[in-house]
Amino acid sequence: MFMLVPTSIIYAQEQKALTLTEAIQMALSNSDQAKIAETQVTTAEAELKSIKNIRYPDLNIGAQYQYINSPTIDLKIGGGEGSATPEVHNIFFGQAAASMPVFTGFKISNTIKAGEDNFQATVFNSKNNKEQIALQTVHGYVNLYKATKTVELLEENLAKSKQRVKDFTAKEEQGIIARNDLLKAQLQEASDQLALDDAIKTASIINYRLAKSLKLPEGTIIETEDTEFKNVATVSDDSIGVRNDLQALQYQQQAAQHQIKVAKSAYFPSLSIMAGYVALDIENVVTVQNAVNLGVGFSYNLADIFKAGSEVKAAKGRAQELQHHINIVADEIQVEIEEARQNYVLAQKKYDVYVRSEEQAKENYRIVKDKYDNEMVDINDLLQADVDQLQAKINLAYAQAEISEKYYELITALGNLSNTLTIK
């Protein structure tokens, strides 16, 4: 019988309690976006090693063996009566050649430096991508908390509406209240039921999206922790860290400067050291052994003096473009920091206001309920006071969660998210 139970029912029963920190670490470990970021660093590291290989000499080894038949040779010159052509059936030739660059117009050193800077840019881009993954997880977790809290409050409100309808039904049967009041209470119950159904749907979608991003099993229900939103660290005015996206751009700009020098290397000649070894054996004709050569190679393409000008100009243009982009991003970061700081301050103020509003709405409902029981106000006032009380509770829950959300947005803007969450 257990095997016949639909798997969707089994999945729906699987619940997993997660703190915000656990959710972030899980996203950084399991999500495809995080794995892409790590792969990019690994690939860049391999590319850097490949670039550094240009420092090492080239070594070529080759050998040939040929078999020759007995051709008919009619030698018209160089021979006389009785002279014989040696029989040659086997030819062996082997050689080894090595070439070591000594001077290439600083092309090798600057190419390696550019590669190292590009690698560092990839590392910082990877860190920035992981920070965005972490911040995205914060938003998903906070949204799930809000949705879950909304469902809880609407369930409580629906239970109260059902009880009100039950009480009003008894009073209407006893003739204590008008039927119109009962109908309004029933309409409010139906409205509360629809609101709850919509909130459950929203929470389910948010939960499904977050579970997918964390690579949790199908049907997992994530349970958020209220304690995550009660103790939030303070942010000082001088807690500006290092923005990984800006660091990446700065390394790219350094690489572009080295690429200018690489382009200028065409203005210089190239010098290299060469060495080789040759072995030759032609059957019955000649044998050559220990033929070692050592020399210096020099080359200078005069046409490159004219051709390299456009390449140097293009390299300088790319470097200048990157510098302007850095200036733009630096300004945007300052704006982002200021906006995040203002949002964080506003979130704290909103929380203080909603704490008082929740207390006021609760007291207002008590007063209106007392007046309604004494026939001093009508049912509309009572239902409105109930709605106001519910909205005040939802606002307070949202405001508490938004303080944490705006806190993480602020430390991300300041460049301290990696240090706070130990993102590598």
Side-chain angles (χ1 to χ4, degrees):
M1 291 178 61
F2 176 76
M3 295 177 66
L4 294 176
V5 176
T7 55
S8 60
I9 297 178
I10 298 175
Y11 286 144
Q13 295 177 348
E14 185 174 355
Q15 296 184 345
K16 186 174 183 62
L18 279 179
T19 64
L20 178 57
T21 303
E22 289 172 344
I24 292 172
Q25 295 301 332
M26 192 173 292
L28 295 175
S29 301
N30 300 339
S31 68
D32 291 325
Q33 295 93 328
K35 291 178 180 179
I36 289 174
E38 293 174 357
T39 302
Q40 288 173 342
V41 173
T42 303
T43 302
E45 186 176 12
E47 291 174 349
L48 177 59
K49 290 180 180 179
S50 178
I51 291 173
K52 288 183 176 181
N53 288 338
I54 62 177
R55 298 178 299 183
Y56 303 117
D58 293 328
L59 179 62
N60 297 313
I61 299 175
Q64 294 183 13
Y65 169 78
Q66 298 179 7
Y67 174 79
I68 302 177
N69 64 353
S70 299
T72 301
I73 300 176
D74 186 5
L75 189 63
K76 303 299 185 180
I77 59 175
E81 288 292 331
S83 63
T85 301
E87 292 187 4
V88 179
H89 295 292
N90 300 292
I91 297 178
F92 173 79
F93 175 76
Q95 71 171 8
S99 177
M100 178 69 178
V102 177
F103 179 75
T104 59
F106 310 104
K107 180 178 182 179
I108 293 177
S109 60
N110 284 301
T111 299
I112 292 175
K113 290 177 181 178
E116 290 173 342
D117 288 333
N118 282 325
F119 170 72
Q120 290 299 326
T122 303
V123 171
F124 281 103
N125 271 326
S126 176
K127 289 183 178 180
N128 182 63
N129 291 337
K130 288 185 176 181
E131 284 184 346
Q132 297 307 311
I133 293 169
L135 188 58
Q136 182 181 352
T137 305
V138 169
H139 291 317
Y141 190 92
V142 170
N143 288 336
L144 180 58
Y145 172 81
K146 289 180 180 179
T148 304
K149 204 68 177 176
T150 301
V151 170
E152 292 177 1
L153 293 173
L154 287 175
E155 286 176 341
E156 293 176 4
N157 193 66
L158 179 59
K160 188 166 61 174
S161 294
K162 288 180 179 294
Q163 184 61 45
R164 181 187 298 121
V165 169
K166 184 178 179 181
D167 295 341
F168 278 26
T169 300
K171 290 180 179 181
E172 192 270 339
E173 290 175 353
Q174 297 172 11
I176 299 176
I177 64 173
R179 180 165 178 76
N180 187 52
D181 287 355
L182 173 60
L183 291 175
K184 289 183 178 180
Q186 290 173 334
L187 287 173
Q188 184 64 46
E189 178 190 1
S191 177
D192 292 342
Q193 182 65 61
L194 288 175
L196 176 60
D197 293 340
D198 184 67
I200 291 175
K201 179 216 57 171
T202 301
S204 178
I205 293 173
I206 296 174
N207 180 88
Y208 187 81
R209 184 182 292 114
L210 181 58
K212 276 293 183 183
S213 66
L214 301 181
K215 298 300 181 183
L216 293 173
E218 190 74 20
T220 300
I221 298 177
I222 300 173
E223 297 179 353
T224 57
E225 298 287 342
D226 290 356
T227 54
E228 290 291 329
F229 308 108
K230 293 183 179 179
N231 297 315
V232 179
T234 56
V235 182
S236 61
D237 293 336
D238 57 349
S239 59
I240 299 178
V242 178
R243 283 286 294 256
N244 291 317
D245 50 350
L246 185 60
Q247 283 282 88
L249 285 173
Q250 289 172 344
Y251 273 108
Q252 289 177 13
Q253 210 275 337
Q254 288 180 204
Q257 293 294 334
H258 290 303
Q259 289 295 345
I260 295 174
K261 297 178 182 179
V262 171
K264 288 181 177 180
S265 66
Y267 296 143
F268 300 91
S270 298
L271 184 66
S272 60
I273 298 175
M274 298 178 294
Y277 173 84
V278 176
L280 175 67
D281 182 14
I282 302 177
E283 184 181 19
N284 298 323
V285 176
V286 63
T287 299
V288 179
Q289 296 178 346
N290 300 323
V292 179
N293 61 81
L294 181 65
V296 178
F298 176 85
S299 65
Y300 196 6
N301 189 339
L302 298 179
D304 283 346
I305 297 177
F306 305 98
K307 295 178 181 179
S310 59
E311 295 183 5
V312 172
K313 187 176 181 179
K316 287 182 177 180
R318 287 189 290 270
Q320 189 175 16
E321 181 182 348
L322 274 170
Q323 184 58 57
H324 291 316
H325 190 43
I326 289 173
N327 295 337
I328 292 173
V329 171
D331 291 340
E332 290 176 348
I333 287 174
Q334 294 302 316
V335 174
E336 185 179 338
I337 291 174
E338 182 61 24
E339 183 178 2
R341 193 186 303 279
Q342 293 293 338
N343 288 336
Y344 181 58
V345 173
L346 178 60
Q348 292 174 316
K349 291 180 179 178
K350 286 170 64 176
Y351 176 76
D352 294 337
V353 171
Y354 285 138
V355 168
R356 294 193 299 270
S357 297
E358 194 267 344
E359 294 173 353
Q360 292 165 353
K362 184 178 179 181
E363 178 63 16
N364 179 64
Y365 178 78
R366 187 192 66 78
I367 294 173
V368 173
K369 177 68 166 59
D370 185 62
K371 288 183 177 181
Y372 176 78
D373 292 340
N374 290 283
E375 299 181 356
M376 297 175 64
V377 296
D378 60 16
I379 184 65
N380 294 324
D381 295 325
L382 178 64
L383 294 178
Q384 184 59 50
D386 191 26
V387 171
D388 292 342
Q389 181 179 223
L390 173 63
Q391 189 60 54
K393 290 180 179 179
I394 293 175
N395 289 340
L396 180 59
Y398 280 23
Q400 190 173 36
E402 284 177 359
I403 292 178
S404 294
E405 186 176 30
K406 299 308 178 184
Y407 165 77
Y408 282 106
E409 289 179 359
L410 176 56
I411 63 174
T412 300
L414 291 170
N416 286 325
L417 185 62
S418 294
N419 297 330
T420 303
L421 300 176
T422 317
I423 300 176
K424 298 181 179 180

